Amino acid sequence: MTSITRDNCLALDQSDTLADFRNDFSLPEGTIYLDGNSLGAMPKASQTRALEVITKEWGTDLIKSWNQAGWFDLPSRLGNLLAPLIGAADNEVVVTDSTSINLFKALAAGLQIQAGKAETAQRRVIVSERSNFPTDIYMAQGLTRWLDRGYTIRLVDTPQELEAAINADTALVMLTHVNYRTGYLHDMQELTRHAHQQGALILWDLAHSAGALPVELNQANADFAVGCTYKYLNGGPGSPAFIWVAPRHQEAFHHPLSGWWGHASPFSMQPSFEATPGIRRALCGTQPIVSLAMAECGLQIFAKTSMQAIRRKSLALTDLFIQLVEQRCAQHPLELVTPRQHGQRGSQVSFSHTHGYAVMQSLIGRGVIGDYREPGIMRFGFTPLYVRFVDVWDAVETLRDILDTRDYALNATRHAVT
C-alpha cells in the first residue's frame, strides 16, 4: 500500500492471528502503549496470582510454601519456561537477581575461564560498544577495577568496528543483541563465530530481544547470556532477570557472589562453599518469590504462540510506523535512527528530534506512551501481543498534530525517569 488509511489498519487488525492476545493484558482505556521495550503491560493473570501468593501461599501456608508451593524450584521452573524463547534447552537458564548482577556473574566467570587456559591466560581486553546500555559498561568497569590485573575495556563507536576490535588480545566480548537506543540488531551468529575464531568468549545481553524476536543461543554457539523479564516478557516492574550458561561452561562457571542458593546443599549449613552442579550455581541469595510469581504469568502467555509469529507482526508494525511517520510528518525535522533492514532491526523504532523530550512529554499527555533517551531520541516500542495496527495509525496522527501545532513545552520539567 502506497497510501495507507486508518481503515487499512483496522483491516490488518481483523486478519491479525495474534489479535486475541490483547485480551490477556490489562491496558488502560484511551492509552496507546508503545513502551513495552521499557516496561511491559500487566498480564491480567498477574493480579490473581499476586493475591494467591500473598494471601494463601504466604498468608496462610507461611514457610511451608517453600516446599508445598514450589517456591524453592521457581528460578529453575521459570528458566525452563523461558528457555525456548531464547534458543536454549531445559536446565540452561535460571530466572534470578537483576540483569546487572547477572552480568557481573557472567563477566567474572568468563574472565576466570579465560585466565585458566594457557592460550588465553594473558588476555586483558573486554570489547563492547560505547552505545551499549550503560549499566553493562559500568558493571564491567567495576569488576575490572576490583580485579586490578590490568584489564581494560575497548569500546567501539559503530557495529562495523567490532570485527577489527575483537582480536588476539580479547578475553571477552560483551554486547547487547538489540541496541536500547537505536533498535539496531546484531548478527549473533556471525559475531559469535568471529569472537570464537579469535579465541574470545562472548556474553549477550538479551534485554531488548527476549520475547520480541527469535533468539538462538545454542545454534549460535554463544557462551553466556543475560536479560530482563520486565520488558517484552511482561514480568512487572523490576521483575527478576535471567542468566544462561552454555552447557559446556557450566562445570567451570564460578563467580564471586557465591551465595547459599548456589550451594550444592544449602540447608546442610556448611561453613565452606561448594557450588551446586549445573545452572543453579548461578543463583546467589534468597529469591524474591512474589516477583518471580509475576514473571511466570508473563512467560506462560508465550506458550500459546511462537516467536516466529511474534516477529512477523513486529516487523509489520515497525514497517507501518516508519512509513506513516515519514509520509504524514514529512515536513518536520524527524530523523529515523533505527535500521530499515529487517535483519538489523529489533522491535522498536527510534526517531530523533531537536525537541524530542518535549514532544514525547506531549505525546504521553495525550495518551500515546513512548519514552525518551539522550541525545534527542524518541523511542517507540512495539509489543506484538497487545499493540494493534490501528494503534500505530492513531499514534502517528497524534504525533503529526503535536508537530503541526507545536503543542509541546520547550521548558518541560525533566522527570527522574525519561
Side-chain angles (χ1 to χ4, degrees):
M1 292 178 291
T2 55
S3 181
I4 303 169
T5 67
R6 193 173 192 273
D7 285 342
N8 294 142
C9 296
L10 289 168
L12 289 170
D13 287 325
Q14 288 294 316
S15 61
D16 176 19
T17 59
L18 299 181
D20 288 345
F21 283 100
R22 184 176 170 87
N23 298 323
D24 290 334
F25 294 89
S26 179
L27 293 160
E29 192 68 32
T31 295
I32 297 173
Y33 193 63
L34 303 180
D35 210 11
N37 55 321
S38 191
L39 174 64
M42 185 184 80
K44 290 178 180 176
S46 296
Q47 186 172 7
T48 302
R49 181 67 181 123
L51 287 171
E52 181 182 29
V53 173
I54 293 168
T55 60
K56 183 184 185 301
E57 294 179 8
W58 177 24
T60 301
D61 298 340
L62 296 166
I63 201 167
K64 293 182 292 183
S65 288
W66 284 107
N67 296 313
Q68 291 179 182
W71 286 359
F72 184 77
D73 293 323
L74 200 49
S76 299
R77 188 168 83 242
L78 298 192
N80 289 344
L81 264 180
L82 194 153
L85 308 183
I86 58 174
D90 282 355
N91 305 315
E92 294 179 3
V93 185
V94 283
V95 176
T96 186
D97 296 325
S98 69
T99 306
S100 298
I101 297 301
N102 289 336
L103 267 167
F104 182 89
K105 297 171 193 172
L107 282 166
L111 293 180
Q112 183 187 49
I113 288 170
Q114 291 289 69
K117 297 185 295 186
E119 63 271 26
T120 55
Q122 301 307 312
R123 296 182 179 221
R124 291 291 184 271
V125 176
I126 298 171
V127 173
S128 191
E129 294 181 284
R130 200 176 311 278
S131 65
N132 200 351
F133 192 73
T135 198
D136 296 40
I137 300 172
Y138 301 161
M139 295 307 288
Q141 289 171 342
L143 175 62
T144 56
R145 286 169 185 157
W146 276 98
L147 288 173
D148 193 28
R149 292 174 58 192
Y151 283 99
T152 60
I153 302 169
R154 180 181 297 149
L155 300 177
V156 302
D157 291 306
T158 68
Q160 292 71 35
E161 297 175 68
L162 278 169
E163 286 208 0
I166 302 167
N167 55 31
D169 64 3
T170 305
L172 189 141
V173 181
M174 176 184 67
L175 296 173
T176 298
H177 192 205
V178 174
N179 186 278
Y180 80 99
R181 183 185 283 122
T182 67
Y184 180 91
L185 170 64
H186 282 295
D187 186 333
M188 177 181 287
Q189 186 117 17
E190 177 56 28
L191 282 169
T192 299
R193 183 201 62 77
H194 178 71
H196 289 171
Q197 196 174 55
Q198 301 302 312
L201 298 177
I202 192 161
L203 162 59
W204 289 99
D205 183 338
L206 306 179
H208 289 269
S209 47
L213 52 91
V215 178
E216 295 294 346
L217 289 170
N218 277 318
Q219 184 177 305
N221 201 32
D223 298 296
F224 312 101
V226 300
C228 67
T229 64
Y230 55 78
K231 299 182 192 296
Y232 295 103
L233 297 175
N234 308 300
S239 58
F242 62 87
I243 181 169
W244 170 82
V245 178
R248 66 184 179 278
H249 293 311
Q250 287 186 10
E251 187 177 348
F253 186 87
H254 297 282
H255 58 88
L257 305 180
S258 47
W260 74 314
W261 274 64
H263 196 283
S265 180
F267 284 89
S268 67
M269 303 298 179
Q270 297 172 6
S272 59
F273 183 77
E274 178 188 348
T276 192
I279 188 60
R280 284 185 70 94
R281 64 178 53 203
L283 299 178
C284 183
T286 306
Q287 303 300 302
I289 296 302
V290 178
S291 294
L292 283 170
M294 297 306 95
E296 186 167 20
C297 295
L299 290 172
Q300 286 173 335
I301 295 173
F302 287 88
K304 298 183 286 186
T305 185
S306 70
M307 289 311 305
Q308 288 70 28
I310 288 172
R311 178 60 168 167
R312 283 193 296 272
K313 184 177 175 184
S314 165
L315 291 171
L317 289 167
T318 50
D319 278 345
L320 177 64
F321 186 76
I322 292 169
Q323 184 176 354
L324 286 174
V325 169
E326 292 186 336
Q327 285 180 355
R328 305 189 69 77
C329 305
Q331 69 274 33
H332 297 288
L334 292 164
E335 181 181 349
L336 178 65
V337 178
T338 303
R340 296 180 189 275
Q341 302 95 317
H342 286 182
Q344 295 181 356
R345 186 198 310 162
S347 198
Q348 74 180 57
V349 177
S350 298
F351 279 95
S352 66
H353 187 278
T354 306
H355 306 303
Y357 182 80
V359 173
M360 181 55 70
Q361 292 308 300
S362 186
L363 279 166
I364 292 170
R366 294 202 194 183
V368 178
I369 301 179
D371 63 22
Y372 174 83
R373 294 293 181 265
E374 293 289 358
I377 291 178
M378 299 183 292
R379 300 194 314 170
F380 302 90
F382 296 86
T383 304
L385 293 174
Y386 54 77
V387 174
R388 301 170 299 189
F389 290 95
V390 75
D391 292 333
V392 175
W393 173 274
D394 291 342
V396 174
E397 281 302 281
T398 305
L399 174 62
R400 181 193 58 76
D401 186 66
I402 287 170
L403 294 174
D404 284 352
T405 61
R406 298 198 176 189
D407 182 26
Y408 49 88
L410 296 182
N411 59 349
T413 302
R414 291 290 179 114
H415 299 295
V417 178
T418 63

